Amino acid sequence: MHSPCVARCGLNEDDYCMGCFRHIDEIVTWSQTSHEQKQQICDSLAHRKQQFLGDSNNQTLSRAKWLEVEKRLGEDADKLENDNTQ
C-alpha cells in the first residue's frame, strides 16, 4: 500500500501532519506497519481531515523531530519486549 503522504508536511500541536493527517508515530513507522494497520489508518484520514479543518501547519516535520519519535518508539518497543519476557 502506498503512503498517503502528499509532501506538504507540517505538524499541528498534537503532532498530526496537516498534509496527510497521519500522526507522527504513524508516519515514522509506516514502512514497518502491517497492511491491515495501514488500511485502518487510511480509513480514518477523511474523518481526521474534517476534525482538523481550520487547523494550520504550524510546525515543520524536521529530521530532528523524526529521530526523536523514532527513538521514543524504539524505547517503547524495548520496554514492551522486556515486560513480556519477565
Side-chain angles (χ1 to χ4, degrees):
M1 174 177 288
H2 291 285
S3 168
C5 179
V6 294
R8 294 178 56 188
C9 303
L11 303 176
N12 69 6
E13 66 240 10
D14 295 320
D15 285 340
Y16 281 91
C17 176
M18 298 309 294
C20 68
F21 304 100
R22 290 179 294 163
H23 189 269
I24 182 70
D25 294 1
E26 296 166 340
I27 295 168
V28 171
T29 60
W30 187 258
S31 63
Q32 292 88 36
T33 302
S34 72
H35 179 78
E36 292 79 18
Q37 290 170 312
K38 288 178 181 178
Q39 189 61 55
Q40 289 174 344
I41 292 167
C42 287
D43 290 347
S44 71
L45 298 180
H47 175 73
R48 288 182 189 173
K49 183 176 182 176
Q50 288 301 313
Q51 248 183 320
F52 297 131
L53 204 60
D55 280 3
S56 62
N57 290 357
N58 63 6
Q59 203 180 112
T60 316
L61 180 52
S62 67
R63 178 76 177 148
K65 181 74 172 181
W66 181 285
L67 293 173
E68 171 191 320
V69 171
E70 206 170 49
K71 180 180 179 202
R72 178 179 47 80
L73 292 173
E75 289 170 355
D76 289 349
D78 290 344
K79 183 177 184 280
L80 182 61
E81 186 176 314
N82 289 336
D83 289 349
N84 289 336
T85 59
Q86 294 179 3

